[in-house]
Amino acid sequence: MKPAILFVDDEANILQGLRRMLRGMRSEWDMDFAEGGEIALSKLSEKTFDVVVTDMKMPGMNGAELLDQVSALYPRSIRLILSGEADTEATFRTIKTSHQFLPKPSNSERLAEIIKATLQRRDSLGNEKLQTLVTAVGCLPVSQAAGEALNDLIEQESASIDQAADIFALDPALTAKVIQLANSAYFGIGDPVVSPKAAVNLLGWDVLRVLLLKHALGTAYPAGANKAIYESTMAQAQDVSELAGWIASQEGADQADVNRAQLTGLLQGLGRLVLCAAGAEDYAKVPALVTAGKTIGEAEYEIFGEYHWTLGAYLAQLWALPQPVVDAIRFLHQPSALEESAQGSVALLAGHAALGIATGMRSSDPKAVAASLIDPDFLSSQSCDSKLDNWLDGWANRETAA
């Protein structure tokens, strides 16, 4: 069955233009067009749409109000906004309900590319329940440490953007959300942002403070059976991010690639955070399985029938995070499974090696554990088969010196 796409705009000529520009997609998509939000909701009540693409500024029901209802009633639908302008309040309302905010007019080829890539990533996650779980995510709980630090910062009259950036850069949930926003048409399209500090500086403290107060960037993580795993995933992310950036630097990468490597390390557990938070009731069974001797990954697969990195890559694609980072998240545990033409990214190499080394460092035999987790064929394909010991020793010496 072809995916169904619904386009919504209050102007008939705009819809006609979209129909005309996307004529070449008729063989791949089942497209429908709604003149306004009320008609869109009527169509949605009669038929399942995989993607809803709506204008923001419409009389009667605007795009923000429409997506409020789509998000609540049809959480599996991918939600995109096209807008040339929008008032600040309406824009802020859609930060949790829209997956991407694109400029209007938007290049039809680019729009088709975005929709195809997102659907392809969703379909790689074959379980519809898990697809809905991810698509329904508007933001994720922040770590306890980050939440407390931001609450303190909000109360300070002299809070600086640098202080905020330091907090955001250590929290995967906040980082994913702020990079999603910085690279959207919410705040203007420029060069792609690949570091949380750059994203925070682009948005500015005034905007971030409002969004934090509205709980649009993250929520406080509640106490419960899953909290320990959630917090340990956050801590591991910081370790892997720092190490991945260091490995990328050792390999002579430029700053943009170092940033992508760090971002990959920080977000490599994004899918586990989704499962912990959005699938909390089922995830509560995981700790007992771990206590019984299974690894966290084995326990997750037993409960959900999927590995966390597939969910993480889908969320990263939904939020239009940098493509090399999306691919690296998906294939970080099995890089040789990625097509050869895409294996050469620094983010994938540094992230894969960093995850193995960081895991090894927490064991009694770091070299043996790291070697068991790192794909030797992949290292060989990147001309790095003799570098693992150097990375291990160099990082251990760096840690000791620190």
Side-chain angles (χ1 to χ4, degrees):
M1 183 181 297
K2 294 189 291 188
I5 321 294
L6 178 62
F7 295 91
V8 187
D9 200 294
D10 64 299
E11 296 186 38
N13 63 321
I14 297 291
L15 293 177
Q16 285 294 338
L18 283 168
R19 193 190 301 265
R20 193 166 49 251
M21 289 188 298
L22 294 168
R23 186 176 292 122
M25 297 304 301
R26 286 182 299 181
S27 62
E28 297 184 40
W29 297 342
D30 177 10
M31 291 181 282
D32 204 345
F33 300 83
E35 196 169 330
E38 294 289 355
I39 295 175
L41 286 177
S42 176
K43 289 179 179 288
L44 282 157
S45 70
E46 298 168 356
K47 176 179 175 178
T48 298
F49 285 94
D50 298 277
V51 183
V52 177
V53 184
T54 181
D55 183 31
M56 169 67 93
K57 197 172 182 180
M58 299 185 293
M61 179 182 292
N62 64 27
E65 293 165 333
L66 172 61
L67 289 193
D68 281 345
Q69 297 206 43
V70 175
S71 177
L73 298 173
Y74 313 103
R76 185 170 172 267
S77 295
I78 295 163
R79 302 176 293 277
L80 309 180
I81 281 188
L82 291 173
S83 186
E85 58 176 303
D87 66 84
T88 301
E89 185 59 33
T91 296
F92 283 178
R93 277 185 58 186
T94 64
I95 282 174
K96 289 175 71 171
T97 56
S98 65
H99 296 118
Q100 295 184 42
F101 192 108
L102 306 170
K104 180 184 176 183
S106 188
N107 180 289
S108 60
E109 292 181 1
R110 177 60 181 150
L111 178 59
E113 181 183 300
I114 288 168
I115 293 173
K116 285 194 290 185
T118 308
L119 286 171
Q120 183 178 25
R121 190 71 67 182
R122 183 201 68 179
D123 292 344
S124 70
L125 183 61
N127 184 313
E128 286 195 10
K129 181 179 177 181
L130 292 181
Q131 291 174 1
T132 302
L133 190 76
V134 177
T135 312
V137 170
C139 60
L140 289 166
V142 303
S143 66
Q144 184 172 336
E148 291 173 354
L150 285 169
N151 286 336
D152 290 343
L153 200 61
I154 287 170
E155 298 298 321
Q156 296 178 22
E157 291 184 8
S158 58
S160 74
I161 194 66
D162 288 339
Q163 290 173 290
D166 288 341
I167 298 169
F168 273 74
L170 294 176
D171 189 284
L174 289 170
T175 287
K177 195 66 184 175
V178 80
I179 289 182
Q180 176 203 20
L181 299 181
N183 285 326
S184 75
Y186 281 117
F187 300 101
I189 298 294
D191 292 334
V193 173
V194 293
S195 84
K197 289 191 176 183
V200 166
N201 277 285
L202 177 66
L203 271 59
W205 177 239
D206 289 343
V207 167
L208 291 171
R209 186 177 184 278
V210 171
L211 294 177
L212 288 166
L213 288 169
K214 290 177 175 287
H215 305 292
L217 299 181
T219 58
Y221 195 72
N226 305 338
K227 184 177 181 181
I229 291 179
Y230 198 94
E231 293 287 350
S232 69
T233 302
M234 292 278 195
Q236 182 194 45
Q238 295 171 15
D239 292 342
V240 177
S241 178
E242 186 179 0
L243 178 49
W246 178 81
I247 290 173
S249 297
Q250 294 299 297
E251 293 306 298
D254 62 24
Q255 189 57 52
D257 272 336
V258 171
N259 288 342
R260 291 186 191 97
Q262 290 176 320
L263 184 59
T264 296
L266 193 64
L267 301 185
Q268 47 82 25
L270 196 60
R272 179 163 289 155
L273 301 184
V274 172
L275 288 174
C276 270
E281 185 175 344
D282 287 331
Y283 203 91
K285 304 168 188 174
V286 169
L289 292 175
V290 172
T291 301
K294 292 185 180 293
T295 67
I296 295 178
E298 290 168 344
E300 289 170 346
Y301 195 86
E302 181 171 323
I303 299 300
F304 294 98
E306 190 56 83
Y307 291 110
H308 73 81
W309 48 83
T310 309
L311 284 78
Y314 177 38
L315 183 61
Q317 189 82 53
L318 271 176
W319 288 2
L321 301 187
Q323 196 62 50
V325 175
V326 176
D327 290 338
I329 291 170
R330 172 61 183 84
F331 292 99
L332 208 64
H333 294 75
Q334 43 188 189
S336 292
L338 183 62
E339 58 271 19
E340 277 190 43
S341 60
Q343 285 182 16
S345 82
V346 173
L348 181 61
L349 172 63
H352 175 65
L355 181 59
I357 293 170
T359 304
M361 289 294 181
R362 291 190 293 275
S363 73
S364 59
D365 192 347
K367 289 193 176 184
V369 171
S372 72
L373 295 174
I374 294 174
D375 183 342
D377 293 333
F378 174 67
L379 285 191
S380 180
S381 73
Q382 305 303 304
S383 302
C384 292
D385 27 357
S386 62
K387 294 183 177 180
L388 180 55
D389 283 348
N390 292 337
W391 291 335
L392 275 158
D393 293 339
W395 186 251
N397 292 337
R398 188 176 182 274
E399 293 282 276
T400 302

